[in-house]
């Protein structure tokens, strides 16, 4: 069986270090808002190359709280519009609607699956307050054009960096390209905790302080509440584990890139459209996504060889029951992508032998 992602094996590589870190926290008797969180915030802000990192409970909260903080600071208000790619994971959209802001869905490029920057300007109105880019599948979606639009229309640039932690753009890391970024350390992400965890990064002092207060009940001084916050904290155990795993992230991402290159160099089947990579540094291959109009057959063929392939994601946000009001809206490119994509197994621990089986299975598929 070739698993889509073997998280157990990934964490076993660092078993001793992880166990030591967890034991240290257990024995310390201090489980929240402590030294391990402080260390990770310092390490991660340095890694991303920004002034501030605020640890939170998960990636969705990171995005929700960024927007909530902007509302708190008066940069946006209920009913304002946030531009976001139509083919993102639901969390990006939930973060927006949870704050009673309106998501404006923009079609992705059929080549890169990232937000199509040529389609953004027409969607900007007087209510638009931010562009939320999503580095989907681990590929940087930032462009100079997006930056220019943010400047021209005075919009905040928010990065959903959940799938692209460690990705580069030029000399920057994703998460340092806009005004604020949300990161996820969900176990299956490139930098995975052993439970839920997330973080906000920003260079904006005021935003950082507001995010920190909001994530801790709206409180800066114990039992004094400046605003109506929520409880979204990373626990010390996860922070200690992330301090261990952050050291290996660049290496892991480099391995993922090499694995992706192996697929790209070796998969040859006219039924399969491979990912297009212009800048290898700007992709960390959280997912290796191919496209085919014979999806069911390809997936059946893979599973007949005991290979797990998944779909990220089968239903676009505008077709979800949760957003049933949008059912009449049309996003044909997004729908085409959702109907044709397959994620092949990829990680820093998949072996060449396993990849060969995937390659051979796909190459021998004919129809
Ligand atoms: C995983 C993910 C999130 C949310 O992260 P959680 O830690 O699971 O809350 C947000 N956006 C994208 C694009 C994601 O893939």
């Amino acid at each position: 069986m070739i698993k889509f992602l073997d998280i157990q094996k990934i964490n076993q590589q660092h078993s001793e270090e992880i166990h030591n870190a967890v034991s240290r926290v257990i024995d310390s008797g201090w489980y929240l808002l402590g030294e391990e969180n402080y260390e990770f915030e310092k390490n991660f802000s340095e890694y991303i190359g920004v002034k501030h990192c605020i640890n939170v409970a998960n990636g969705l909260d990171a995005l929700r709280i960024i927007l909530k903080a902007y509302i708190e600071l008066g940069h946006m208000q209920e009913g304002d519009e946030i531009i976001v790619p139509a083919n993102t994971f639901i969390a990006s959209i939930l973060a927006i609607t949870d704050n009673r802001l309106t998501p404006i869905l923009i079609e992705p490029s059929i080549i890169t699956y990232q937000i199509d920057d040529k389609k953004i300007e027409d969607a900007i109105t007087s209510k638009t307050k931010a562009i939320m880019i999503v580095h989907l599948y681990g590929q940087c979606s930032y462009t100079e054009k997006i930056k220019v639009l943010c400047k021209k229309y005075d919009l905040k640039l928010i990065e959903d960096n959940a799938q692209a932690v460690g990705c580069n753009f030029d000399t920057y890391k994703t998460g340092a390209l806009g005004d604020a970024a949300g990161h996820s350390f969900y176990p299956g992400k490139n930098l995975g905790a052993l439970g839920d965890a997330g973080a906000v990064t920003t260079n904006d002092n005021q935003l950082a302080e507001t995010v920190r207060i909001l994530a801790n009940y709206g409180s800066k001084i114990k039992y004094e509440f400046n605003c109506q916050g929520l409880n979204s904290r990373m626990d010390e155990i996860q922070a200690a584990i992330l301090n261990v795993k952050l050291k290996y992230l660049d290496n892991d991402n480099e391995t993922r890139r090499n694995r992706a290159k192996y697929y790209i160099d070796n998969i040859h089947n006219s039924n399969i459209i491979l990912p297009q990579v212009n800048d290898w540094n700007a992709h960390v291959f959280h997912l290796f996504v191919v496209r085919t109009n014979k999806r069911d057959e390809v997936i059946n063929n893979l599973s007949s060889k005991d290979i797990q392939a998944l779909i990220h994601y089968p239903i676009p946000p505008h077709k979800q029951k949760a957003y049933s009001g949008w059912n009449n809206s049309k996003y044909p490119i997004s729908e085409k992508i959702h109907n044709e994509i397959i994620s092949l197994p990829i990680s820093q621990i998949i072996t060449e032998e396993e990849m060969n089986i995937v390659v051979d299975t796909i190459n021998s598929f004919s129809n």
Side-chain angles (χ1 to χ4, degrees):
M1 158 83 132
I2 299 175
K3 283 193 181 175
F4 178 71
L5 179 66
D6 193 338
I7 294 179
Q8 185 185 34
K9 197 168 160 195
I10 286 175
N11 289 320
Q12 258 166 8
Q13 293 178 293
H14 314 297
S15 178
E16 194 180 327
E17 264 190 289
I18 291 173
H19 276 96
N20 287 342
V22 171
S23 298
R24 186 172 68 235
V25 176
I26 293 173
D27 294 343
S28 76
W30 193 277
Y31 306 119
L32 285 166
L33 301 172
E35 200 56 37
E36 300 289 347
N37 267 275
Y38 177 80
E39 272 300 309
F40 183 72
E41 289 182 344
K42 190 165 142 285
N43 293 338
F44 196 66
S45 56
E46 275 171 17
Y47 177 82
I48 296 292
V50 291
K51 277 203 271 182
H52 305 282
C53 169
I54 304 96
N55 292 346
V56 295
N58 54 64
L60 169 59
D61 274 5
L63 297 168
R64 276 167 82 198
I65 296 171
I66 289 168
L67 292 169
K68 202 171 166 65
Y70 278 134
I71 292 172
E72 197 63 41
L73 292 168
H75 291 299
M76 47 187 83
Q77 61 183 25
E78 201 174 308
D80 280 343
E81 296 171 356
I82 312 294
I83 284 174
V84 65
N87 62 327
T88 186
F89 178 58
I90 199 76
S92 330
I93 314 276
L94 285 172
I96 297 169
T97 55
D98 187 66
N99 280 294
R100 298 177 189 280
L101 298 161
T102 305
I104 302 298
L105 307 182
I106 302 292
E107 287 264 57
S109 146
I110 191 75
I111 310 286
T112 62
Y113 315 132
Q114 307 301 319
I115 192 167
D116 187 343
D117 62 7
K118 295 187 296 300
K119 297 197 176 129
I120 295 176
E121 191 161 13
D122 282 348
I124 295 173
T125 73
S126 60
K127 287 192 155 190
T128 311
K129 293 294 154 61
I131 300 176
M132 184 188 288
I133 54 174
V134 182
H135 306 303
L136 204 65
Y137 307 149
Q139 181 166 20
C140 180
S141 64
Y142 175 89
T143 65
E144 296 295 341
K145 190 182 176 88
I146 293 175
K147 183 174 157 191
V148 168
L149 289 174
C150 286
K151 228 182 162 115
K152 180 169 170 191
Y153 294 97
D154 192 23
L155 309 176
K156 299 291 180 192
L157 180 58
I158 300 168
E159 297 175 78
D160 179 343
N161 198 39
Q163 299 192 359
V165 176
C167 183
N168 302 301
F169 176 86
D170 200 355
T171 56
Y172 297 91
K173 284 263 184 284
T174 56
L177 300 168
D179 295 290
H183 308 262
S184 167
F185 310 117
Y186 174 82
K189 297 281 160 76
N190 286 30
L191 176 59
L194 272 62
D196 275 317
V200 172
T201 55
T202 180
N203 280 315
D204 179 335
N205 299 343
Q206 228 189 357
L207 183 76
E209 179 169 24
T210 309
V211 165
R212 193 177 291 287
I213 289 172
L214 281 169
N216 189 31
Y217 288 115
S219 171
K220 187 173 176 186
I221 298 166
K222 205 168 186 183
Y223 302 130
E224 289 182 24
F225 304 98
N226 311 16
C227 54
Q228 296 170 25
L230 40 107
N231 175 4
S232 181
R233 301 180 296 219
M234 186 192 292
D235 66 71
E236 287 282 285
I237 289 181
Q238 299 310 330
I241 292 167
L242 288 170
N243 279 321
V244 170
K245 291 187 74 181
L246 180 60
K247 294 181 293 189
Y248 302 103
L249 179 63
D250 281 342
N251 222 343
D252 289 347
N253 283 338
E254 190 53 35
T255 308
R256 280 174 179 270
R257 276 193 279 271
N258 290 332
R259 301 292 195 260
K261 193 159 189 309
Y262 188 86
Y263 274 147
I264 289 175
D265 290 345
N266 290 286
I267 293 177
H268 305 289
N269 186 324
S270 57
N271 290 301
I272 302 286
I273 300 168
L274 292 164
Q276 285 225 4
V277 187
N278 300 323
D279 175 359
W280 280 89
N281 260 326
H283 206 322
V284 290
F285 289 95
H286 172 59
L287 298 169
F288 188 90
V289 177
V290 301
R291 205 151 56 77
T292 172
N293 53 19
K294 313 237 161 53
R295 180 161 71 186
D296 291 347
E297 295 94 314
V298 172
I299 288 184
N300 286 340
N301 191 43
L302 288 165
S303 62
S304 75
K305 294 276 159 46
D306 241 8
I307 300 164
Q308 272 185 343
L310 300 177
I311 299 170
H312 297 92
Y313 300 90
I315 306 171
H318 71 278
K319 294 267 187 188
Q320 298 286 354
K321 262 200 208 124
Y323 294 111
S324 54
W326 306 346
N327 271 350
N328 291 329
S329 40
K330 294 268 182 296
Y331 300 95
I333 297 172
S334 189
E335 282 166 36
K336 183 176 171 64
I337 291 171
H338 282 81
N339 287 331
E340 297 186 348
I341 46 175
I342 305 175
S343 307
L344 300 181
I346 191 164
S347 71
Q348 62 272 43
I349 47 101
I350 192 169
T351 63
E352 195 165 317
E353 197 185 345
E354 289 172 318
M355 294 185 73
N356 263 324
I357 299 173
V358 177
V359 167
D360 288 346
T361 307
I362 292 197
N363 287 349
S364 63
F365 171 80
S366 61
N367 182 281

